[in-house]
């Protein structure tokens, strides 16, 4: 089946630094979703991308839908302690499908 | 986005027993899903909960182990049957508010001893 590869698997940064993580696939995705999961919580949708080349921001977060439709990145600017968590990319397993495939996640740790 | 609640939020169970997890949504939704997240892992889809018909299970998951009910458009249950320590996971329900986008509940943290 389709798989999403996220990198890096973990990041240890200083507060105030910018963060960049990405997600790639060997097959085309028509939608890219970015979620954040904090300890003890379910994943929360951060950004949804529906069009190749689309660049979308949500506060300090920016995500882009790669032009090849096989990748996406998420950037966080000026990180703060509450950015700590696991960030997952996800997309529909097949075109138009409701079922989601998830990446392995990027665990973000911030040193104050 | 829809507001989703799950009960219980966590439980500790003995092996061989069963636990039923409830998922309640504050609005009618067409699609509801159940996921499992094993410790330190990503999310894996268990099944799609279909209203008025049997759930659709993913490869590796069977109805006898994970029976699912969906009596209406705002509620679903997942039962983890005959539990073993390998069933210790977070179980999450989600709903699809628009095509190809899902929102998740807070999860149920299950520990099987």
């Amino acid at each position: 089946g389709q798989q999403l590869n996220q990198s890096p698997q973990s990041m240890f940064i200083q507060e105030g630094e910018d963060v960049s993580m990405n997600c790639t696939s060997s097959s085309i995705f028509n939608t890219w979703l970015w979620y954040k999961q904090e300890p003890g919580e379910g994943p929360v949708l951060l950004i949804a991308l529906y069009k190749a080349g689309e660049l979308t921001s949500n506060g300090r977060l920016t995500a882009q839908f790669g032009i090849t439709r096989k990748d996406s990145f998420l950037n966080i600017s000026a990180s703060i302690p509450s950015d700590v968590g696991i960030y997952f990319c996800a997309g529909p397993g097949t075109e138009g499908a409701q079922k989601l495939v998830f990446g392995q996640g990027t665990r973000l740790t911030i040193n104050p | 986005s829809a507001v989703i609640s799950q009960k219980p939020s966590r439980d500790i169970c003995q092996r061989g027993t069963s636990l039923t997890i409830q998922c309640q949504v504050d609005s009618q939704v067409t699609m509801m899903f159940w996921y499992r997240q094993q410790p330190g892992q990503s999310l894996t889809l268990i099944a799609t909960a279909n209203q008025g018909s049997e759930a659709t299970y993913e490869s590796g998951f069977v109805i006898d182990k994970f029976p699912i009910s969906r009596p209406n458009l705002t509620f679903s249950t997942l039962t983890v049957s005959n539990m073993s320590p390998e069933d210790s996971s977070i179980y999450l329900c989600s709903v699809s508010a628009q095509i190809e986008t899902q929102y998740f509940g807070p999860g149920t943290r299950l520990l099987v001893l």
Side-chain angles (χ1 to χ4, degrees):
Chain A
Q2 290 181 301
Q3 291 185 327
L4 294 177
N5 299 306
Q6 264 186 267
S7 65
Q9 288 188 321
S10 60
M11 302 182 74
F12 299 85
I13 63 169
Q14 296 296 124
E15 183 178 352
E17 288 184 10
D18 296 342
V19 172
S20 184
M21 61 189 77
N22 68 78
C23 195
T24 61
S25 173
S26 59
S27 54
I28 288 173
F29 276 73
N30 292 312
T31 298
W32 287 92
L33 307 173
W34 285 94
Y35 290 89
K36 178 188 177 187
Q37 186 176 30
E38 297 184 20
E41 303 291 331
V44 174
L45 182 64
L46 299 174
I47 293 178
L49 302 162
Y50 300 106
K51 191 187 304 182
E54 180 181 355
L55 183 72
T56 297
S57 294
N58 178 5
R60 294 177 295 105
L61 278 61
T62 302
Q64 184 157 30
F65 191 144
I67 198 71
T68 65
R69 298 199 287 164
K70 293 184 178 181
D71 63 337
S72 176
F73 72 73
L74 175 70
N75 288 342
I76 306 173
S77 63
S79 59
I80 60 177
S82 62
D83 291 331
V84 165
I86 304 175
Y87 292 79
F88 291 100
C89 62
T94 55
E95 184 172 346
Q98 297 289 336
K99 298 187 292 186
L100 293 182
V101 174
F102 279 79
Q104 308 97 312
T106 295
R107 182 181 297 272
L108 179 62
T109 303
I110 299 175
N111 298 316
Chain B
S1 62
V3 176
I4 306 166
S5 59
Q6 284 186 234
K7 288 182 182 179
S9 59
R10 61 180 65 242
D11 208 341
I12 300 173
C13 300
Q14 297 298 318
R15 69 172 67 208
T17 63
S18 297
L19 177 71
T20 296
I21 301 167
Q22 299 179 5
C23 179
Q24 179 75 53
V25 191
D26 69 342
S27 58
Q28 292 186 341
V29 293
T30 305
M31 307 291 288
M32 294 182 76
F33 306 88
W34 287 99
Y35 288 81
R36 181 176 72 182
Q37 187 177 25
Q38 295 178 298
Q41 303 295 313
S42 186
L43 284 74
T44 301
L45 180 64
I46 297 172
T48 303
N50 301 309
Q51 194 267 330
S53 63
E54 198 170 277
T56 305
Y57 290 84
E58 297 300 303
S59 175
F61 298 96
V62 296
I63 187 172
D64 290 345
K65 176 66 176 178
F66 297 102
I68 289 171
S69 78
R70 176 98 190 265
N72 56 52
L73 293 177
T74 63
F75 186 78
S76 178
T77 68
L78 168 75
T79 298
V80 187
S81 303
N82 188 25
M83 289 184 285
S84 67
E86 292 71 33
D87 294 320
S88 298
S89 294
I90 302 172
Y91 292 87
L92 296 145
C93 72
S94 74
V95 303
S96 181
Q98 62 186 80
I99 195 82
E100 299 180 347
T101 303
Q102 292 180 24
Y103 299 92
F104 286 83
T108 294
R109 279 138 193 85
L110 172 62
L111 176 63
V112 183
L113 302 177

